[in-house]
Amino acid sequence: MADSPARTPEKTQARPERAERPQTGSGHLTEVTALATDRGRTSIADGVVAKVAGLAAREIPGVYALGSGVSRAFAAMRKAVPGGRPDVARGVGVEVGEKQCAVDLSLVVEYGAPIAEVAAAVREHVIESIERMTGLEVVEVDISVDDIHIEQDDDDTSSRNLA
C-alpha cells in the first residue's frame, strides 16, 4: 500500500508552508503549521509531545489511568516521596520527526465504559491536542488497553469471605 502513512515519522527538513488536513469525524479542520521557515527552525522534544498526549488522554471520561501496572506502582511511590511529581507522560511512547509524530498509549479504562468508544475519543483528542499545540502532523495513535479499573465498595468486600 503506497498511499498509507508510514509508521516512522518523516525525518526530512520541513518547508516554510502551511498544510491543511481534511476534516475529521468530529467536524474540526486541523491545520498543520510548518516548524521551519526562512527565519529559523523550531524543534519540539519527544518529552513535550508525550506530556501533551498524556494530559489529553486523561481528559477523556472513562480513562482511569495511563501505563502498565508496574509503571503505576512506581508512580505511586514517586508521589509518596516528598517533592515527588506525577509523571504525566507515563504510559505514553512517542516518535517525533521534523514534521510528523506517532504516539503509543497504554490505558486503564473504568469498568463499564465502552472501551472502543473511549479509545476512539482518546485518539481524536490526542491528535487534535498535539497538532494544535505543536504544529506536528500526527500520523497514528496506537492504543493498548492494558487493564480496567473496578471500583470496590470497602463495606461490602471487607466483610465478605471470598475463599
Side-chain angles (χ1 to χ4, degrees):
M1 269 198 239
D3 293 311
S4 65
R7 168 85 172 105
T8 307
E10 270 185 35
K11 298 287 185 183
T12 61
Q13 177 77 15
R15 300 282 178 236
E17 61 188 47
R18 175 176 250 177
E20 288 189 9
R21 297 187 69 209
Q23 270 192 316
T24 58
S26 65
H28 69 275
L29 182 69
T30 305
E31 292 182 358
V32 179
T33 306
L35 297 172
T37 68
D38 55 347
R39 293 183 165 216
R41 182 176 162 279
T42 302
S43 62
I44 299 173
D46 292 10
V48 172
V49 176
K51 285 181 181 181
V52 171
L55 290 170
R58 285 176 175 84
E59 291 174 353
I60 301 301
V63 173
Y64 177 74
L66 271 70
S68 66
V70 174
S71 69
R72 291 194 320 267
F74 281 121
M77 290 188 315
R78 180 183 291 159
K79 279 176 60 174
V81 174
R85 292 188 219 153
D87 181 10
V88 296
R90 181 185 75 241
V92 181
V94 297
E95 296 175 27
V96 179
E98 291 288 327
K99 297 189 306 184
Q100 298 176 320
C101 67
V103 180
D104 295 317
L105 296 171
S106 175
L107 300 180
V108 177
V109 176
E110 292 280 355
Y111 175 77
I115 295 173
E117 291 175 21
V118 170
V122 166
R123 182 175 289 109
E124 185 65 30
H125 191 57
V126 166
I127 290 170
E128 190 274 329
S129 296
I130 291 172
E131 288 184 348
R132 178 178 46 83
M133 293 181 71
T134 68
L136 294 167
E137 177 187 7
V138 180
V139 295
E140 70 180 1
V141 176
D142 290 334
I143 297 174
S144 169
V145 178
D146 293 335
D147 200 359
I148 60 170
H149 177 257
I150 302 170
E151 282 291 326
Q152 295 180 358
D153 266 340
D154 292 331
D155 298 335
D156 292 340
T157 57
S158 62
S159 61
R160 239 187 241 176
N161 183 359
L162 299 176

